[in-house]
Amino acid sequence: MAKITFITTDDKTITLEGTTGSVMQLAVDNSVPGIDGDCGGVCSCATCHVHVDPDHLEKTGEASEIEEDMLDLNDYSNERSRLCCQLEITEKLDGLVLQVAESD
Amino acid sequence: METNNTKDHICVVIGASHAGVNFAFSLRKEGWEGDIILFDKDPELPYHRPPLSKAYLTSEDGIEANLLKSADSYKNENINLNLGLTVSAINRNDKTVVLSDGNMQKYDKLVLATGARPLIPPIPGIDNARHVYPLRTANDVENIRHAYRASSNKRIVVIGGGYIGLETAASLKKMGGIVTVLEREERILARVTTPEMSSFFKQLHATNGVDILTGKNVVGIKTEDHVNTIICEDGATFEADIIVVGVGIKVNLELAKEAGLHIENGIAVDETACTNDENIYAIGDCTYHYNPRYKRRIRLESVQNAVDQAKVAAAAISGKKPTYNSIPWFWSDQYDVKLQMVGLSEGYTSILQREEPGEGVKFSIWYFKDDELLAVDAVNNAKAYVLGTKFIKDATTIDKSKLADITIPLKPKNLLVETV
Ligand SMILES: Cc1cc2nc3c(=O)[nH]c(=O)nc-3n(C[C@H](O)[C@H](O)[C@H](O)COP(=O)(O)OP(=O)(O)OC[C@H]3O[C@@H](n4cnc5c(N)ncnc54)[C@H](O)[C@@H]3O)c2cc1C
Ligand code: FES
């Protein structure tokens, strides 16, 4: 079980508990605004873009090449950007804080 | 927007899939305060369709692992979702829809998101053949998985080499089946992509042990002792325990047609997704829509189109003046290959293929009409895909010789035409 906190673009804090599946699915199941997951979690849509809290980069590890490439030219991406469909929920993510990225 | 005016208004949506569901949530977000009522004949909670022929087929997941939104989301947003109910008619005069259970539902605004259904070709013998399935719904996947598990020989013939047929072939191969694809045209994906991509995918399947045979027009199916024999026009025959039909779709436009809405290769809508009735909108696969970027009407079968049109219709119904001018994008996953496409390549006059150095398959095909970049097909190359998207969006003229030079990395600035 992992407790994951989302901070939305209008600064609301939503804390959710998940056991399996991806962080994107957890967010979509709980209607976190700004996480749409249009492609179902296969790195094709970039509608699950988040920024990892600077103190939590160890929990999430690094973005994969395709995530980096998909966000390469995104106006709202930074070095802490992830596509959260690629974050698998495990105990390791317990306490993770994610900022939902803006989009056009 | 005039939110206070919508309190007593009812918006009815026919079809609760990518288009209908996204529309309903977008409409709430726009501030609609009245009822939002969705109807779908499919009894399952609305789910993602693309994975059906890909990862979902090979998994043992139930559909709850693949939902567009959780059941609670509909409740939280006060969206009234009615499943297992078919809308059988639209009465534009008294603004009602008739349901399969005999009830009527009033509407102020109506949205048609009826999508499409698989085309089942009238092949003699197909009705009596065993284990013949299309692939469009969760139930179709259930049927295919079930037949697959029950079959001892696991010989599968896929009729039709479009994206869905090819993805299904790749998935069933991964599961351990013996898979053959029969395509009527001289190349696979003939309707949707260029000869270059067709031959790439044909080779990919061959490497993975799936036979793709082109120029194979199926003219009959004979079924004896639980085995189907598929007969082609050229006399070739193939035995199959399971047949997957993937020859394309038929747009669900009968309701619209009977209601007298303008039909033309789909339900005709303008750039705000509005039909010729100001109270009726149509979105997604069922539409033949105007896109000002291309200055013509287009029909698309993609998640992008369904989601973007849903947002446009929601904004339009909320009194805004949105325009649907999206650049189409699409993806397909087969084996370890990810294809990402952006733009519309139709009308291209030249192409440029760029293979990235290094291990593994990684390339992109760039389609130009003279100097204008129309589209990019990127294989295992998200960088080319996003770059192509940006160039098309900004209408940037790029230096083709730089693009062709693989020692120059794919970065926006690297590829610009130098101006003196
Ligand atoms: C196997 C498969 C793989 C795909 N892969 C991709 C991909 O990789 N990328 C991509 O972009 N797109 C892909 N697509 C296409 C994508 O899924 C469609 O473009 C998308 O589903 C269109 O959404 P829609 O809501 O317009 O229509 P649909 O998804 O067709 O939904 C229409 C809904 O309306 C309902 N309906 C119709 N008539 C009535 C009625 N009279 N009463 C009640 N309900 C009704 C139907 O039951 C259905 O649920 C794939 C499709 C399939 C089938
Ligand atoms: S859900 Fe589409 S990229 Fe993550």
Side-chain angles (χ1 to χ4, degrees):
Chain A
M1 174 117 72
K3 255 195 188 140
I4 299 173
T5 299
F6 297 86
I7 302 168
T8 65
T9 47
D10 53 1
D11 274 332
K12 282 202 191 85
T13 300
I14 304 172
T15 301
L16 301 169
E17 273 177 20
T19 43
T20 55
S22 74
V23 172
M24 178 278 285
Q25 205 57 52
L26 179 71
V28 169
D29 283 350
N30 293 283
S31 318
V32 174
I35 304 288
D36 294 338
D38 287 341
C39 75
V42 295
C43 278
S44 296
C45 69
T47 63
C48 64
H49 180 192
V50 294
H51 297 151
V52 177
D53 184 284
D55 295 336
H56 295 165
L57 292 165
E58 210 145 277
K59 290 185 195 292
T60 57
E62 287 190 354
S64 62
E65 184 184 335
I66 181 164
E67 288 176 72
E68 280 182 3
D69 288 348
M70 283 298 284
L71 294 169
D72 199 17
L73 303 176
N74 187 300
D75 289 341
Y76 306 98
S77 76
N78 65 23
E79 64 289 349
R80 293 178 287 107
S81 282
R82 293 297 303 263
L83 293 175
C84 69
C85 63
Q86 301 306 302
L87 294 174
E88 193 68 26
I89 299 178
T90 61
E91 306 261 319
K92 215 179 147 201
L93 294 191
D94 192 33
L96 177 66
V97 177
L98 301 169
Q99 172 93 46
V100 178
E102 276 184 70
S103 65
D104 293 327
Chain B
M1 86 162 256
E2 334 100 60
T3 37
N4 359 352
N5 300 344
T6 61
K7 223 177 227 142
D8 306 320
H9 285 195
I10 302 172
C11 182
V12 169
V13 187
I14 310 175
S17 180
H18 288 272
V21 168
N22 276 290
F23 166 80
F25 283 83
S26 299
L27 188 65
R28 246 330 152 233
K29 208 165 152 192
E30 292 281 355
W32 177 273
E33 294 185 343
D35 288 345
I36 301 177
I37 307 175
L38 286 168
F39 293 105
D40 202 298
K41 63 175 121 187
D42 195 323
E44 301 290 349
L45 270 178
Y47 47 85
H48 288 276
R49 280 191 211 282
L52 296 183
S53 49
K54 309 181 183 80
Y56 181 74
L57 178 58
T58 58
S59 76
E60 287 180 0
D61 289 345
I63 204 66
E64 64 286 347
N66 188 33
L67 299 180
L68 288 174
K69 305 273 178 188
S70 65
D72 284 346
S73 311
Y74 298 89
K75 287 199 198 93
N76 295 342
E77 296 295 326
N78 193 14
I79 290 166
N80 186 335
L81 178 64
N82 300 277
L83 301 172
L85 265 182
T86 303
V87 174
S88 52
I90 302 166
N91 292 323
R92 283 166 63 194
N93 289 337
D94 56 5
K95 290 182 148 185
T96 56
V97 296
V98 183
L99 306 173
S100 50
D101 62 3
N103 285 323
M104 304 257 260
Q105 173 61 55
K106 228 191 127 16
Y107 69 79
D108 295 291
K109 297 286 177 191
L110 177 65
V111 176
L112 299 171
T114 49
R117 60 182 179 275
L119 188 75
I120 306 294
I123 300 168
I126 199 167
D127 292 339
N128 299 318
R130 275 178 67 85
H131 297 309
V132 180
Y133 306 109
L135 209 175
R136 181 105 192 154
T137 65
N139 188 48
D140 293 335
V141 173
E142 203 41 59
N143 286 334
I144 294 171
R145 282 179 180 169
H146 192 80
Y148 182 82
R149 280 196 293 265
S151 162
S152 40
N153 291 325
K154 306 199 189 301
R155 290 167 303 179
I156 301 135
V157 168
V158 176
I159 304 179
Y163 286 115
I164 293 176
L166 295 178
E167 288 173 354
T168 307
S171 297
L172 290 168
K173 177 70 200 179
K174 193 173 164 196
M175 289 159 74
I178 301 162
V179 188
T180 307
V181 179
L182 302 179
E183 166 59 51
R184 182 181 61 184
E185 305 297 321
E186 287 310 314
R187 63 181 176 98
I188 50 169
L189 302 168
R191 200 170 53 91
V192 288
T193 193
T194 51
E196 288 74 16
M197 289 307 289
S198 298
S199 48
F200 168 72
F201 277 108
K202 188 168 180 188
Q203 187 54 46
L204 176 70
H205 281 266
T207 310
N208 283 280
V210 168
D211 273 337
I212 294 187
L213 303 167
T214 52
K216 289 281 180 263
N217 187 22
V218 176
V219 292
I221 302 173
K222 278 211 180 92
T223 305
E224 272 166 22
D225 299 332
H226 303 319
V227 175
N228 306 304
T229 304
I230 296 167
I231 306 149
C232 296
E233 201 172 18
D234 63 1
T237 59
F238 301 88
E239 290 194 343
D241 308 296
I242 303 168
I243 301 173
V244 178
V245 183
V247 298
I249 57 155
K250 252 184 113 122
V251 174
N252 290 325
L253 44 67
E254 290 75 8
L255 279 179
K257 197 170 185 180
E258 280 156 25
L261 296 174
H262 184 189
I263 304 286
E264 208 190 321
N265 187 24
I267 305 170
V269 294
D270 65 15
E271 68 256 48
T272 68
C274 194
T275 67
N276 57 313
D277 180 328
E278 60 173 352
N279 293 311
I280 306 182
Y281 288 71
I283 54 178
D285 278 15
C286 67
T287 63
Y288 190 52
H289 58 271
Y290 185 75
N291 186 327
R293 177 184 295 277
Y294 296 101
K295 300 191 180 62
R296 61 183 168 98
R297 282 209 161 113
I298 302 172
R299 201 166 62 71
L300 291 171
E301 296 154 26
S302 73
V303 166
Q304 168 275 319
N305 181 55
V307 173
D308 287 351
Q309 277 193 321
K311 289 179 185 157
V312 164
I317 289 175
S318 305
K320 292 187 181 156
K321 299 235 166 337
T323 303
Y324 180 82
N325 59 2
S326 303
I327 302 166
W329 56 266
F330 187 79
W331 75 95
S332 176
D333 298 327
Q334 296 167 43
Y335 309 106
D336 52 354
V337 161
K338 181 173 201 73
L339 167 69
Q340 293 175 279
M341 309 162 69
V342 59
L344 292 177
S345 62
E346 211 178 307
Y348 69 94
T349 51
S350 69
I351 65 167
L352 202 152
Q353 182 159 349
R354 180 181 156 117
E355 211 142 326
E356 303 304 323
E359 278 165 50
V361 192
K362 190 172 185 181
F363 68 93
S364 49
I365 300 186
W366 301 64
Y367 300 86
F368 294 90
K369 185 179 179 192
D370 305 317
D371 280 331
E372 182 192 356
L373 178 63
L374 296 181
V376 178
D377 291 350
V379 170
N380 294 337
N381 194 346
K383 207 169 235 144
Y385 167 76
V386 297
L387 190 57
T389 305
K390 184 177 166 57
F391 284 152
I392 296 171
K393 200 162 145 200
D394 301 344
T396 313
T397 306
I398 56 181
D399 187 326
K400 290 185 203 171
S401 59
K402 288 181 183 161
L403 178 62
D405 183 349
I406 56 161
T407 63
I408 301 179
L410 285 176
K411 291 259 175 229
K413 284 193 187 104
N414 292 353
L415 304 176
L416 301 183
V417 174
E418 288 188 32
T419 42
V420 260

